[in-house]
């Protein structure tokens, strides 16, 4: 079992930055692909970014060039650096973990992940 706890959310003005953290416990995530998703009110959960355990990253087109996914296996933690935030980035952000032997593979569907966190709220004001 893997427990995931997101933190770092909050209220920020448009154009600002936030860094979300996802701390894992229960087992190491060093052989897990990790993902970030978000869900805005009245909308479906959507993919934001993913990082394989080899360090390969992939982000959704809506956040490319603004958001960066990274990981620190020594701290069992994954990060989502969000820059140039827009009001449409307002959502609850979730991290997820998928144990896999595919060291460079990323995953874009929530259903592909084995574990998910409770989420952290990000609100971007205009």
């Amino acid at each position: 079992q893997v427990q995931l706890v997101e933190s770092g959310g909050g209220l920020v003005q448009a154009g600002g930055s936030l860094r979300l953290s996802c701390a894992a416990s229960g087992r190491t995530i060093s052989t897990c692909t990790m993902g970030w998703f978000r869900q805005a009110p009245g909308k479906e959960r959507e993919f934001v970014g993913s990082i394989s355990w080899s360090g390969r990253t992939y982000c959704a087109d809506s956040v490319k060039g603004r958001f960066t996914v990274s990981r620190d296996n020594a701290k069992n933690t994954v990060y989502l650096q969000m820059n140039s935030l827009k009001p449409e980035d307002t959502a609850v952000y979730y991290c997820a973990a998928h144990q896999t032997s595919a060291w460079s593979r990323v995953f874009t569907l929530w259903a592909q992940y084995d574990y998910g966190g409770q989420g952290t709220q990000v609100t971007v004001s205009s």
Side-chain angles (χ1 to χ4, degrees):
Q1 290 287 334
V2 177
Q3 292 79 44
L4 302 171
V5 178
E6 302 92 339
S7 62
L11 175 63
V12 64
Q13 288 188 332
S17 299
L18 282 175
R19 188 177 80 155
L20 305 184
S21 299
C22 173
S25 61
R27 56 150 289 170
T28 179
I29 60 168
S30 60
T31 55
C32 291
T33 289
M34 303 298 294
W36 284 98
F37 293 80
R38 67 186 182 186
Q39 187 167 18
K43 295 187 177 182
E44 293 187 353
R45 193 170 307 190
E46 65 173 357
F47 170 76
V48 174
S50 179
I51 183 167
S52 73
W53 54 271
S54 71
R56 178 191 173 206
T57 61
Y58 178 75
C59 288
D61 287 344
S62 59
V63 305
K64 275 181 183 175
R66 300 189 298 122
F67 290 12
T68 303
V69 185
S70 62
R71 65 192 299 159
D72 185 338
N73 288 335
K75 295 182 178 180
N76 228 28
T77 300
V78 179
Y79 304 97
L80 180 66
Q81 177 67 44
M82 305 186 296
N83 298 327
S84 302
L85 282 161
K86 304 175 182 180
E88 51 263 43
D89 294 319
T90 294
V92 177
Y93 283 71
Y94 301 88
C95 72
H98 173 60
Q99 184 179 353
T100 177
S101 59
W103 64 287
S104 65
R105 188 169 176 187
V106 296
F107 301 93
T108 62
L109 300 177
W110 180 259
Q112 293 175 303
Y113 288 82
D114 307 305
Y115 308 98
Q118 293 300 306
T120 185
Q121 175 71 46
V122 172
T123 302
V124 184
S125 63
S126 57

